[in-house]
Every structure is written in C-alpha cells, then in structure tokens.
Amino acid sequence: MKDRKLLMIPGPIEFTPDVMLAMGMPTTSHIAPNFIEVFGEALERMRHVFLCPDGQPFVIAGSGTLAMDIAGANLVEPGDRALVVNSGYFSDRMGAILERYGATVTQVHAPAVGDVPALEDVETALKKGAYKIMAFTHVDTSTAVVVDAKALGALGREHGVLTILDGVCSVAGEELRQEDWGIDLSFTASQKAIGVPPGLALVVAGPRAMGAFHERKSPVGNYYADWANWLPIMQAYEERRPSYFGTPAVNLIWALNVSLGQILDEGIDARFLRHRRLNQAFKAAIGALGMKQVPLGSELAANTLTAPYYPDGVDKALLGHIKEAGVIVAGGLHPEIRDRYFRVGHMGAVNESDILMTLGALEKGLAQVGHSFDAGAGLAAAQALLTQ
Ligand SMILES: *Cc1c(COP(=O)(O)O)cnc(C)c1O
C-alpha cells in the first residue's frame, strides 16, 4: 500500500512533479548562460503573475518574513508614519517590522477574530493621519479571512499613501491585480500558492514604491535586504548579463521559473477561478458537516484556505486521525482561538481529488473521535458542486 501523505496546510503545499524535478537537477553556476536565461525569464514572468506590468520584481533567498522585512527596510525611514490594517497574526508581524525600521505605527484592528477592519475605520484613520505607508494582509493565514484589497488599494491612492500588501497566502491563488488595484508593493513566499519549495522571498514593487526608495534621505537599515544591493542584480539578470551580490538560490529559481510558466500556461484568471471553485466545494462540505468557520461571513472567507472550528466535544486529537487517514492539515495559529480550530490549505496545484481525499480523511477522523454526524454529507456536498 502507498503510504504517502497529502500535504494540505497553508504552506508548504504540494508541488508539481516538474517543479520537483527542477529542484533535483544538477546545480548550475549562478552565472551559467542557461541559468541567466532562466532567472531573467522568471523575473519577467513575476510581473505577469502579480499583474503588475510596470513593477520591479525581486527574487531573494529567504522566507516570506524576509519579503516583509524587505518592504519595511526599503520603504520606511525613521519617523515615518504607517497605518496597519490589522486582520490577524501576520498583520501584527508587519507592524513590528515597520516599527523596527523606525516607523510610528497606528493599527486599525478588526472588531473581532474572524472579521476584518471596516473600510470606514481605515478611511477615518487615513484622514487624520498624514501616513506615508498603509500595510495590510491580503489573506490572513491565521484566520482565513480576506480583506478587500481592491478597495484598500483605492483608499490608499485617494489618500496618497504607499500601500504594502502581504500576499504570502494569496498571490497566484486569490484574485490580486496589483497594478489595476493601485497597490504599490506586494510580496509572497515560494512555498505558498506560487508553488515552489520554501526558500524564496518574492517581491514586486510598483513605480511609486521604487520612487519612494530612490528619494530616501537615510540609508536602508538592513544590509541584506537593501534594494541598492539587489536592484542592479535583478536588472542585470533581466538584461541577461551575469552579476553578483549574494549567491542566488539556483535550484529554487529554476523551480520558480517552471512554476511561473505553469501558472501562466493555466492562465491567471483560470487559476483564480479554480481556487474559487475548489474552495466553494470544500467550504460547502464543512458546512454540511455542521462545522462553523473562523471567518464571520462568506464574503470574508479566503479562497486559499479554510479555518473550521472543531465541532462540540472534538479537539485537536482529530488532526492525528486525519493524518492517519493520509492527509496532513494544520492546527490553529491565532492566539485567541488556537485550540478551537484547525486550518486546511487548498492552493497552488491543488485539484478536485485532493479536496475529496481531504474530506474523506476528515470524515474518517470525525468518526474515529466518536463524533456523531451524517457520514458522507461533506463528500456529497462537495461532489454536488464539483460535478456541476
Ligand atoms: C506564511 C505567511 C507569512 C510568513 O512567511 P514565512 O515564509 O513563514 O516567513 C507572512 N504572511 C502571510 C500572510 C503568510 O501566510
């Protein structure tokens, strides 16, 4: 019997075989002509995947937190004011990073866990504040809530602030149109919906963000993250010239280029649609099993992951049984509700079979912990949508 487990957490996710092949091929020199071509092509493709044709892509070895750090280090100057639209765990982290680089940070909080800050409250804050920066988390991975990035981008433009979008749980899964929506900088990490093993911070900075960087009066307070070091490197690779600042993560970049190619072959709109469709099927199943979710309304619920509360009388022992049945899901992350819910990632290369297998494992787990429920109801609800 096969004993591989299906990895359904909000990153790292399951990667395609071609991406994994690129990870395993003999490592080339970082200035080999074929690698220069691949890196240059990956940078070009980044603009298409982020839907930011005039943006400047940066591909730098590190995790998503480095991408957050890059945004803070290059855009904040000591004394700048920043507004954080706080929808959970990763918004807290962004606030801490902006502060670390000398910003005075004001937070607009969601009224409750599972909610997002009201647009009116954000607007009120922007009117009062003389902010340089507004940062928000597109999909908060701790609560599975999605903010209205399009409306926040428009508000940012209206009030003349630089907008930073944490897209680590959204880019290439949740609909994001960076340039059309007026978002000045967005970023993700390789291991999430963009579909490459962990290790790359992926940032796209629009013209206003690059302008703010070029107009800085103080040096960037982080040597590794400084765009002054990386911009010439990104430009060189796009112009297919060898260049060096820090050794690029060669195999990860080969894999990134494969994945970006697969994303563009699928079509970015088709990809958004696939995520929406699989998400609807999964969430319908969770509802049919009588489980509540962390997001307080369906319009607040992300397409890239689901955060169900455990049913009454069930606790995190359920996750062990789901794993026994072949699927790995994630525990809670938000400190206020950590032990009351779990998280299922469904992003990237995820397909219908993965959704059905996960639901099968969840139902089996529920049965094994002695929960009484209508067995098969989740699978039937999902299948009803998937066969439409
Ligand atoms: C995963 C995640 C991060 C952090 O990324 P790491 O690669 O774990 O450093 C930041 N923001 C969001 C929204 C995430 O989902």
Side-chain angles (χ1 to χ4, degrees), residues 10 63-65 68 90 93 137 139-141 166 168-169 189 191-192:
S63 83
T65 305
M68 304 170 83
F90 287 106
R93 181 174 294 186
T137 313
V139 171
D140 185 85
T141 320
D166 175 347
V168 182
C169 209
Q191 78 274 19
K192 308 256 174 130

Side-chain angles (χ1 to χ4, degrees), residues 94-115:
M94 194 71 222
I97 288 171
L98 297 172
E99 254 167 21
R100 182 66 65 91
Y101 290 109
T104 305
V105 173
T106 305
Q107 309 254 358
V108 181
H109 281 278
V113 175
D115 204 347

Side-chain angles (χ1 to χ4, degrees), residues 4-321:
R4 78 176 275 283
K5 307 262 189 244
L6 183 68
L7 187 59
M8 295 292 281
I9 66 174
I13 62 165
E14 297 254 324
F15 307 114
T16 67
D18 285 346
V19 164
M20 294 317 292
L21 271 177
M23 291 300 295
M25 59 174 253
T27 302
T28 58
S29 159
H30 62 291
I31 53 166
N34 57 347
F35 177 69
I36 292 175
E37 177 58 32
V38 158
F39 199 165
E41 189 171 47
L43 290 165
E44 289 161 6
R45 288 173 169 173
M46 287 263 292
R47 289 196 187 82
H48 297 295
V49 168
F50 282 66
L51 295 168
C52 192
D54 297 315
Q56 173 60 52
F58 293 88
V59 173
I60 301 177
S63 83
T65 305
L66 175 69
M68 304 170 83
D69 215 23
I70 288 170
N74 288 282
L75 295 185
V76 173
E77 294 195 67
D80 285 345
R81 302 197 53 185
L83 186 68
V84 171
V85 179
N86 194 316
S87 55
Y89 183 90
F90 287 106
S91 308
D92 290 343
R93 181 174 294 186
M94 194 71 222
I97 288 171
L98 297 172
E99 254 167 21
R100 182 66 65 91
Y101 290 109
T104 305
V105 173
T106 305
Q107 309 254 358
V108 181
H109 281 278
V113 175
D115 204 347
V116 297
L119 285 175
E120 307 83 76
D121 294 347
V122 175
E123 183 156 30
T124 306
L126 284 173
K127 278 183 181 150
K128 284 202 287 220
Y131 293 105
K132 172 175 168 186
I133 289 168
M134 174 168 73
F136 51 94
T137 313
H138 192 189
V139 171
D140 185 85
T141 320
S142 70
T143 54
V145 299
V146 61
V147 298
D148 187 343
K150 186 180 181 183
L152 287 169
L155 268 183
R157 276 285 187 274
E158 200 183 316
H159 293 273
V161 297
L162 290 172
T163 43
I164 299 176
L165 176 146
D166 175 347
V168 182
C169 209
S170 78
V171 171
E174 196 76 46
E175 183 179 5
L176 169 63
R177 302 178 187 281
Q178 183 174 341
E179 193 158 307
D180 281 357
W181 292 358
I183 288 153
D184 295 306
L185 182 147
S186 61
F187 55 80
T188 189
S190 50
Q191 78 274 19
K192 308 256 174 130
I194 214 156
V196 182
L200 292 177
L202 306 167
V203 179
V204 175
R208 284 159 36 95
M210 291 313 296
F213 166 73
H214 289 305
E215 282 158 25
R216 288 180 67 96
K217 303 206 170 38
S218 53
V220 170
N222 180 320
Y223 186 76
Y224 183 69
D226 190 347
W227 283 343
N229 291 324
W230 289 111
L231 182 59
I233 308 303
M234 300 301 137
Q235 288 169 334
Y237 276 102
E238 264 204 274
E239 290 162 10
R240 309 302 195 261
R241 290 186 282 112
S243 188
Y244 169 76
F245 166 61
T247 307
V250 171
N251 283 64
L252 281 166
I253 290 171
W254 278 92
L256 173 68
N257 194 42
V258 170
S259 191
L260 293 171
Q262 290 175 335
I263 292 167
L264 295 173
D265 282 347
E266 179 179 12
I268 195 79
D269 286 306
R271 192 170 174 96
F272 295 152
L273 210 66
R274 171 168 57 81
H275 280 80
R276 193 167 333 143
R277 188 165 162 275
L278 295 177
N279 174 59
Q280 279 167 357
F282 192 76
K283 285 189 169 58
I286 294 298
L289 290 169
M291 297 166 84
K292 293 197 167 45
Q293 296 175 42
V294 176
L296 295 180
S298 58
E299 73 291 354
L300 300 174
N303 287 299
T304 47
L305 81 164
T306 299
Y309 282 107
Y310 296 116
D312 282 345
V314 174
D315 65 15
K316 64 185 175 202
L318 172 66
L319 305 190
H321 292 285

